[in-house]
Amino acid sequence: VKALDLISRYRTVRQRSVSLCAPLTIEDHAIQSMPDASPAKWHLAHTTWFYETFVLAELGQAPHDERWSYAFNSYYDAVGPRVERARRGLMSRPSLEEVLAYRAAVDERVARALDHALAPALQALVELGLHHEQQHQELLLTDIKHALGTQPLRPAYRDDLVRDGAAAIAPLAWVELDEEVVEIGAGDRGFAFDNERPRHRVIVPAFAIATRPIANAEVLAFIGDGGYDEPRHWLAEGFATARRDGWRAPLYWEQRDGVWCAYDLAGVREIDPAETACHLSYFEADAIARWAGARLPTEAEWERVASGLRARAGHWADDDRLHPRAATTTGLAQVFGDVWEWTASAYVPYPGFRPLPGALGEYNGKFMSGQMVLRGGSCLTPRGHVRASYRNFFAPTARWQMTGVRLATDRGSPPW
Ligand SMILES: [Fe+2]
Protein backbone atom coordinates (compact mmCIF):
# COMPACT_ATOMS: atom_id res chain seq x y z
CA VAL A 1 0.00 0.00 0.00
CA LYS A 2 2.82 2.36 0.91
CA ALA A 3 4.59 1.72 -2.44
CA LEU A 4 1.33 2.26 -4.34
CA ASP A 5 0.82 5.50 -2.45
CA LEU A 6 4.35 6.56 -3.41
CA ILE A 7 3.73 5.80 -7.09
CA SER A 8 0.56 7.86 -7.16
CA ARG A 9 2.23 10.75 -5.32
CA TYR A 10 5.18 10.48 -7.71
CA ARG A 11 2.87 10.75 -10.73
CA THR A 12 0.97 13.71 -9.23
CA VAL A 13 4.08 15.71 -8.37
CA ARG A 14 5.78 14.98 -11.70
CA GLN A 15 2.70 15.99 -13.67
CA ARG A 16 2.38 19.24 -11.75
CA SER A 17 5.84 20.45 -12.83
CA VAL A 18 4.85 20.00 -16.47
CA SER A 19 1.46 21.67 -15.88
CA LEU A 20 3.16 24.73 -14.34
CA CYS A 21 5.01 25.20 -17.64
CA ALA A 22 1.90 24.91 -19.82
CA PRO A 23 1.33 28.71 -20.01
CA LEU A 24 4.92 29.31 -21.17
CA THR A 25 6.14 29.81 -24.73
CA ILE A 26 9.17 27.84 -25.93
CA GLU A 27 11.25 31.02 -25.53
CA ASP A 28 9.98 31.55 -21.96
CA HIS A 29 11.24 28.07 -21.03
CA ALA A 30 14.84 28.87 -21.87
CA ILE A 31 15.56 32.32 -20.46
CA GLN A 32 17.44 33.11 -17.26
CA SER A 33 16.93 36.67 -16.02
CA MET A 34 19.66 36.64 -13.34
CA PRO A 35 22.19 34.19 -11.84
CA ASP A 36 19.88 33.37 -8.88
CA ALA A 37 17.04 32.29 -11.17
CA SER A 38 17.04 29.22 -13.40
CA PRO A 39 15.22 28.62 -16.69
CA ALA A 40 12.00 26.60 -16.50
CA LYS A 41 13.52 24.02 -18.84
CA TRP A 42 16.44 23.60 -16.47
CA HIS A 43 14.06 23.02 -13.51
CA LEU A 44 12.23 20.35 -15.54
CA ALA A 45 15.50 18.59 -16.32
CA HIS A 46 17.25 19.03 -12.98
CA THR A 47 14.37 17.57 -10.95
CA THR A 48 14.53 14.54 -13.28
CA TRP A 49 18.31 14.28 -12.94
CA PHE A 50 17.79 14.04 -9.16
CA TYR A 51 15.90 10.71 -9.38
CA GLU A 52 18.30 9.43 -12.02
CA THR A 53 21.35 10.26 -9.91
CA PHE A 54 20.17 9.32 -6.43
CA VAL A 55 17.76 6.43 -7.16
CA LEU A 56 18.28 4.88 -10.62
CA ALA A 57 22.09 4.99 -10.50
CA GLU A 58 21.92 3.14 -7.17
CA LEU A 59 20.09 0.37 -9.06
CA GLY A 60 22.97 0.21 -11.54
CA GLN A 61 21.02 1.90 -14.34
CA ALA A 62 22.95 3.93 -16.90
CA PRO A 63 21.89 7.57 -17.34
CA HIS A 64 19.49 8.58 -20.12
CA ASP A 65 22.34 10.64 -21.61
CA GLU A 66 25.68 10.69 -19.80
CA ARG A 67 26.42 14.29 -20.88
CA TRP A 68 23.40 15.64 -19.05
CA SER A 69 24.76 15.27 -15.54
CA TYR A 70 27.11 18.13 -16.41
CA ALA A 71 24.17 20.20 -17.65
CA PHE A 72 21.68 19.52 -14.86
CA ASN A 73 23.65 18.88 -11.68
CA SER A 74 22.86 21.89 -9.49
CA TYR A 75 25.55 22.04 -6.82
CA TYR A 76 26.64 18.51 -5.81
CA ASP A 77 30.45 18.50 -5.84
CA ALA A 78 30.49 14.81 -4.90
CA VAL A 79 28.55 13.98 -8.10
CA GLY A 80 30.89 15.90 -10.38
CA PRO A 81 31.50 19.10 -12.36
CA ARG A 82 28.60 21.11 -13.76
CA VAL A 83 27.69 24.06 -15.91
CA GLU A 84 28.15 27.35 -14.09
CA ARG A 85 24.87 28.47 -12.50
CA ALA A 86 24.79 31.85 -14.24
CA ARG A 87 25.09 30.09 -17.63
CA ARG A 88 22.08 27.80 -17.34
CA GLY A 89 20.13 30.11 -19.63
CA LEU A 90 22.66 29.70 -22.43
CA MET A 91 21.78 26.05 -23.04
CA SER A 92 19.45 25.99 -26.02
CA ARG A 93 20.22 22.25 -26.14
CA PRO A 94 18.94 19.83 -25.09
CA SER A 95 15.69 21.19 -26.49
CA LEU A 96 12.47 21.39 -24.48
CA GLU A 97 11.19 18.41 -26.45
CA GLU A 98 14.26 16.38 -25.47
CA VAL A 99 13.90 17.40 -21.83
CA LEU A 100 10.25 16.30 -21.80
CA ALA A 101 11.29 12.96 -23.35
CA TYR A 102 13.95 12.69 -20.61
CA ARG A 103 11.24 13.19 -17.99
CA ALA A 104 9.04 10.52 -19.56
CA ALA A 105 11.91 8.02 -19.78
CA VAL A 106 12.95 8.51 -16.15
CA ASP A 107 9.33 8.41 -14.97
CA GLU A 108 8.88 5.03 -16.63
CA ARG A 109 12.03 3.69 -14.98
CA VAL A 110 11.13 5.02 -11.52
CA ALA A 111 7.60 3.61 -11.80
CA ARG A 112 9.02 0.21 -12.78
CA ALA A 113 11.46 0.31 -9.84
CA LEU A 114 8.64 1.18 -7.43
CA ASP A 115 6.57 -1.69 -8.89
CA HIS A 116 9.35 -4.12 -8.02
CA ALA A 117 9.51 -3.68 -4.26
CA LEU A 118 12.15 -0.97 -4.14
CA ALA A 119 14.26 -1.14 -0.97
CA PRO A 120 12.97 1.16 1.80
CA ALA A 121 16.14 3.28 1.69
CA LEU A 122 15.57 3.94 -2.02
CA GLN A 123 11.88 4.60 -1.48
CA ALA A 124 12.98 7.24 1.02
CA LEU A 125 15.13 8.80 -1.72
CA VAL A 126 12.16 8.86 -4.11
CA GLU A 127 10.24 10.61 -1.36
CA LEU A 128 13.10 13.09 -0.93
CA GLY A 129 12.98 13.61 -4.70
CA LEU A 130 9.28 14.53 -4.46
CA HIS A 131 9.89 17.12 -1.75
CA HIS A 132 12.86 18.39 -3.78
CA GLU A 133 10.66 18.71 -6.87
CA GLN A 134 8.02 20.62 -4.88
CA GLN A 135 10.72 23.07 -3.81
CA HIS A 136 11.65 23.52 -7.46
CA GLN A 137 7.99 24.04 -8.38
CA GLU A 138 7.99 27.15 -6.20
CA LEU A 139 11.33 28.26 -7.65
CA LEU A 140 9.97 27.67 -11.14
CA LEU A 141 7.20 30.18 -10.41
CA THR A 142 9.44 32.78 -8.75
CA ASP A 143 12.01 32.43 -11.54
CA ILE A 144 9.49 32.76 -14.37
CA LYS A 145 7.91 35.67 -12.52
CA HIS A 146 11.28 37.40 -12.48
CA ALA A 147 11.91 36.63 -16.15
CA LEU A 148 8.48 37.95 -17.23
CA GLY A 149 8.18 40.75 -14.68
CA THR A 150 11.51 42.39 -15.56
CA GLN A 151 11.04 42.52 -19.35
CA PRO A 152 9.49 45.55 -21.07
CA LEU A 153 6.04 44.14 -21.86
CA ARG A 154 5.56 42.69 -18.33
CA PRO A 155 3.56 39.77 -19.78
CA ALA A 156 1.23 37.90 -17.43
CA TYR A 157 2.16 34.30 -16.66
CA ARG A 158 -1.53 33.44 -16.96
CA ASP A 159 -4.52 35.47 -18.13
CA ASP A 160 -7.06 33.53 -16.06
CA LEU A 161 -5.84 34.36 -12.54
CA VAL A 162 -8.64 35.99 -10.53
CA ARG A 163 -7.89 39.35 -8.89
CA ASP A 164 -10.75 40.26 -6.58
CA GLY A 165 -11.45 43.81 -5.39
CA ALA A 166 -9.89 45.50 -2.40
CA ALA A 167 -10.69 43.82 0.93
CA ALA A 168 -10.97 45.28 4.43
CA ILE A 169 -7.78 44.50 6.28
CA ALA A 170 -7.85 43.18 9.85
CA PRO A 171 -6.22 45.55 12.36
CA LEU A 172 -2.74 44.48 13.39
CA ALA A 173 -2.98 43.10 16.94
CA TRP A 174 -0.57 41.22 19.18
CA VAL A 175 -0.50 37.84 20.84
CA GLU A 176 1.55 37.84 24.03
CA LEU A 177 3.34 34.75 25.30
CA ASP A 178 5.18 34.08 28.54
CA GLU A 179 8.68 32.74 28.81
CA GLU A 180 8.85 29.00 28.25
CA VAL A 181 11.30 26.22 27.44
CA VAL A 182 9.98 24.91 24.11
CA GLU A 183 10.94 22.05 21.83
CA ILE A 184 11.54 22.92 18.21
CA GLY A 185 12.60 20.90 15.18
CA ALA A 186 11.26 17.72 13.59
CA GLY A 187 10.93 14.51 15.59
CA ASP A 188 12.23 11.19 14.30
CA ARG A 189 9.03 10.09 12.58
CA GLY A 190 7.72 11.21 9.21
CA PHE A 191 9.44 13.12 6.45
CA ALA A 192 11.55 16.16 7.27
CA PHE A 193 14.69 17.62 5.74
CA ASP A 194 17.92 17.00 7.62
CA ASN A 195 18.18 20.70 8.57
CA GLU A 196 14.98 20.42 10.70
CA ARG A 197 16.61 17.85 13.01
CA PRO A 198 17.28 17.02 15.72
CA ARG A 199 14.37 18.22 17.83
CA HIS A 200 15.79 20.11 20.79
CA ARG A 201 14.91 22.47 23.62
CA VAL A 202 15.21 26.25 23.45
CA ILE A 203 14.50 28.91 26.06
CA VAL A 204 12.08 31.43 24.55
CA PRO A 205 11.76 34.58 26.69
CA ALA A 206 8.41 36.37 26.88
CA PHE A 207 7.51 38.02 23.57
CA ALA A 208 4.64 39.37 21.52
CA ILE A 209 3.93 38.45 17.90
CA ALA A 210 1.74 40.22 15.36
CA THR A 211 -1.54 38.55 14.40
CA ARG A 212 -0.89 39.04 10.68
CA PRO A 213 2.00 39.82 8.34
CA ILE A 214 2.41 43.46 7.37
CA ALA A 215 0.28 44.64 4.46
CA ASN A 216 1.03 46.94 1.53
CA ALA A 217 -0.56 49.78 3.52
CA GLU A 218 2.27 49.55 6.05
CA VAL A 219 4.89 49.39 3.30
CA LEU A 220 3.36 52.51 1.72
CA ALA A 221 3.58 54.23 5.11
CA PHE A 222 7.24 53.21 5.41
CA ILE A 223 7.93 54.61 1.93
CA GLY A 224 5.95 57.79 2.68
CA ASP A 225 7.93 58.23 5.86
CA GLY A 226 11.19 58.20 3.88
CA GLY A 227 12.05 54.76 5.25
CA TYR A 228 14.29 53.84 2.34
CA ASP A 229 16.40 56.97 2.94
CA GLU A 230 16.72 56.80 6.72
CA PRO A 231 19.91 54.94 7.66
CA ARG A 232 18.99 54.50 11.31
CA HIS A 233 16.34 51.93 10.34
CA TRP A 234 18.83 49.81 8.43
CA LEU A 235 21.64 47.35 8.94
CA ALA A 236 24.78 48.74 7.26
CA GLU A 237 24.92 46.07 4.56
CA GLY A 238 21.22 46.52 3.90
CA PHE A 239 21.44 50.29 3.52
CA ALA A 240 24.48 49.96 1.23
CA THR A 241 22.62 47.38 -0.89
CA ALA A 242 19.52 49.55 -1.07
CA ARG A 243 21.66 52.49 -2.24
CA ARG A 244 23.67 50.47 -4.72
CA ASP A 245 20.66 48.71 -6.27
CA GLY A 246 18.29 51.67 -6.06
CA TRP A 247 15.68 50.08 -3.79
CA ARG A 248 12.77 52.55 -3.35
CA ALA A 249 9.99 50.01 -2.87
CA PRO A 250 9.55 46.20 -2.88
CA LEU A 251 10.61 44.31 -5.99
CA TYR A 252 8.09 44.58 -8.88
CA TRP A 253 6.66 47.88 -7.63
CA GLU A 254 6.69 50.78 -10.09
CA GLN A 255 5.04 54.17 -10.24
CA ARG A 256 2.75 54.77 -13.21
CA ASP A 257 1.44 58.35 -13.46
CA GLY A 258 2.22 58.83 -9.78
CA VAL A 259 0.34 55.70 -8.72
CA TRP A 260 2.07 52.70 -7.14
CA CYS A 261 1.50 49.58 -9.20
CA ALA A 262 3.12 46.16 -9.08
CA TYR A 263 3.67 43.26 -11.42
CA ASP A 264 2.36 39.91 -10.30
CA LEU A 265 1.75 36.69 -12.23
CA ALA A 266 -1.52 38.15 -13.57
CA GLY A 267 0.19 41.29 -14.94
CA VAL A 268 0.56 44.86 -13.65
CA ARG A 269 -2.14 46.40 -11.47
CA GLU A 270 -2.52 49.10 -8.85
CA ILE A 271 -1.29 48.23 -5.35
CA ASP A 272 -4.05 46.94 -3.06
CA PRO A 273 -3.14 48.39 0.38
CA ALA A 274 -4.90 45.55 2.19
CA GLU A 275 -2.97 42.71 0.56
CA THR A 276 -0.16 41.10 2.51
CA ALA A 277 3.13 42.64 1.37
CA CYS A 278 5.64 40.49 -0.54
CA HIS A 279 8.96 40.54 -2.38
CA LEU A 280 10.81 42.19 0.48
CA SER A 281 14.38 41.24 1.31
CA TYR A 282 15.50 40.41 4.84
CA PHE A 283 17.16 43.83 4.97
CA GLU A 284 13.89 45.57 4.08
CA ALA A 285 11.93 43.37 6.50
CA ASP A 286 14.37 44.24 9.26
CA ALA A 287 14.29 47.97 8.43
CA ILE A 288 10.48 48.05 8.35
CA ALA A 289 10.39 46.26 11.70
CA ARG A 290 12.77 48.79 13.25
CA TRP A 291 10.80 51.69 11.76
CA ALA A 292 7.68 50.21 13.37
CA GLY A 293 9.38 49.98 16.77
CA ALA A 294 9.39 46.19 16.56
CA ARG A 295 11.70 43.42 15.38
CA LEU A 296 11.50 40.17 13.43
CA PRO A 297 10.60 36.98 15.34
CA THR A 298 13.26 34.37 15.97
CA GLU A 299 12.64 31.00 14.37
CA ALA A 300 12.02 29.46 17.81
CA GLU A 301 9.37 32.10 18.54
CA TRP A 302 7.77 31.52 15.15
CA GLU A 303 7.75 27.73 15.53
CA ARG A 304 6.31 27.93 19.03
CA VAL A 305 3.37 29.91 17.65
CA ALA A 306 2.97 27.79 14.52
CA SER A 307 3.10 24.42 16.25
CA GLY A 308 0.22 25.49 18.49
CA LEU A 309 -2.10 26.00 15.51
CA ARG A 310 -4.60 23.28 14.67
CA ALA A 311 -4.64 23.91 10.92
CA ARG A 312 -2.16 25.19 8.38
CA ALA A 313 -4.67 27.84 7.32
CA GLY A 314 -3.46 30.31 4.73
CA HIS A 315 -3.25 30.40 0.97
CA TRP A 316 -1.17 27.96 -1.05
CA ALA A 317 -0.37 27.49 -4.70
CA ASP A 318 -3.30 25.04 -4.87
CA ASP A 319 -5.66 27.97 -4.21
CA ASP A 320 -4.56 29.15 -7.66
CA ARG A 321 -4.31 32.85 -6.96
CA LEU A 322 -0.51 32.83 -6.93
CA HIS A 323 -0.40 36.06 -4.97
CA PRO A 324 -0.96 36.77 -1.24
CA ARG A 325 -4.42 37.75 -0.10
CA ALA A 326 -5.42 40.38 2.45
CA ALA A 327 -5.53 39.05 6.02
CA THR A 328 -9.14 39.89 6.86
CA THR A 329 -9.78 37.80 9.98
CA THR A 330 -8.90 38.76 13.52
CA GLY A 331 -6.65 36.47 15.53
CA LEU A 332 -3.54 34.78 14.16
CA ALA A 333 -3.71 34.79 10.37
CA GLN A 334 -1.48 33.60 7.54
CA VAL A 335 1.12 32.02 9.84
CA PHE A 336 1.21 29.37 7.12
CA GLY A 337 0.90 30.18 3.42
CA ASP A 338 0.64 33.56 1.65
CA VAL A 339 4.22 34.73 2.31
CA TRP A 340 7.39 33.16 3.68
CA GLU A 341 8.19 35.09 6.83
CA TRP A 342 11.72 36.30 7.42
CA THR A 343 13.01 35.46 10.89
CA ALA A 344 15.78 37.12 12.87
CA SER A 345 17.57 33.75 12.96
CA ALA A 346 20.69 33.00 10.95
CA TYR A 347 20.56 29.69 9.09
CA VAL A 348 22.89 27.58 11.20
CA PRO A 349 22.85 23.90 12.19
CA TYR A 350 20.75 22.80 15.15
CA PRO A 351 22.75 21.28 18.02
CA GLY A 352 23.53 17.70 17.01
CA PHE A 353 22.77 18.27 13.29
CA ARG A 354 23.81 15.38 11.05
CA PRO A 355 23.70 15.89 7.28
CA LEU A 356 22.35 13.05 5.10
CA PRO A 357 25.00 10.47 4.17
CA GLY A 358 26.90 10.66 0.87
CA ALA A 359 26.46 13.29 -1.82
CA LEU A 360 23.02 14.22 -0.42
CA GLY A 361 24.83 15.61 2.62
CA GLU A 362 25.32 18.62 0.33
CA TYR A 363 21.54 19.16 0.06
CA ASN A 364 21.24 21.62 2.98
CA GLY A 365 24.24 21.59 5.28
CA LYS A 366 26.79 23.31 3.10
CA PHE A 367 24.64 26.44 2.83
CA MET A 368 24.70 27.17 6.53
CA SER A 369 26.49 30.50 6.35
CA GLY A 370 25.41 34.01 5.41
CA GLN A 371 21.69 33.22 5.02
CA MET A 372 18.58 33.85 7.12
CA VAL A 373 15.75 31.43 7.98
CA LEU A 374 12.24 31.89 6.58
CA ARG A 375 9.18 30.08 7.86
CA GLY A 376 5.66 29.08 6.92
CA GLY A 377 5.44 28.65 3.13
CA SER A 378 3.70 30.89 0.63
CA CYS A 379 0.97 31.24 -1.97
CA LEU A 380 3.44 29.66 -4.42
CA THR A 381 4.14 26.60 -2.22
CA PRO A 382 2.23 23.36 -2.87
CA ARG A 383 -0.23 22.65 -0.07
CA GLY A 384 1.11 20.03 2.35
CA HIS A 385 4.78 20.71 1.54
CA VAL A 386 5.53 22.80 4.64
CA ARG A 387 5.51 21.90 8.35
CA ALA A 388 5.86 23.96 11.53
CA SER A 389 9.50 22.80 11.70
CA TYR A 390 10.27 23.60 8.03
CA ARG A 391 13.31 25.84 7.55
CA ASN A 392 13.66 27.74 4.30
CA PHE A 393 16.70 29.97 3.83
CA PHE A 394 17.86 32.75 1.53
CA ALA A 395 20.51 35.45 1.42
CA PRO A 396 19.46 38.67 3.20
CA THR A 397 19.48 40.54 -0.13
CA ALA A 398 17.12 38.12 -1.93
CA ARG A 399 13.85 39.71 -3.08
CA TRP A 400 12.50 37.52 -5.86
CA GLN A 401 11.07 34.89 -3.51
CA MET A 402 7.52 35.19 -2.11
CA THR A 403 8.77 36.76 1.12
CA GLY A 404 7.04 38.97 3.69
CA VAL A 405 7.24 40.29 7.23
CA ARG A 406 5.61 39.38 10.53
CA LEU A 407 6.56 41.63 13.42
CA ALA A 408 7.46 40.63 16.96
CA THR A 409 8.50 42.55 20.07
CA ASP A 410 9.93 41.86 23.46
CA ARG A 411 7.11 41.55 25.93
CA GLY A 412 5.64 44.71 27.42
CA SER A 413 5.44 47.43 24.81
CA PRO A 414 3.91 46.45 21.50
CA PRO A 415 4.29 49.53 19.29
CA TRP A 416 0.70 49.83 17.98
FE1 LIG B 1 17.65 21.05 -6.70
Side-chain angles (χ1 to χ4, degrees), residues 369-406:
S369 76
Q371 309 206 62
M372 304 305 287
V373 172
L374 300 109
R375 295 299 198 114
S378 83
C379 58
L380 304 181
T381 310
R383 186 191 304 280
H385 177 66
V386 165
R387 302 161 285 285
S389 61
Y390 195 107
R391 305 173 83 197
N392 195 0
F393 52 92
F394 278 96
T397 51
R399 308 172 91 202
W400 92 112
Q401 293 300 301
M402 185 47 76
T403 49
V405 189
R406 184 182 298 271

Side-chain angles (χ1 to χ4, degrees), residues 46 74 132 136:
H46 163 73
S74 50
H132 170 255
H136 276 278

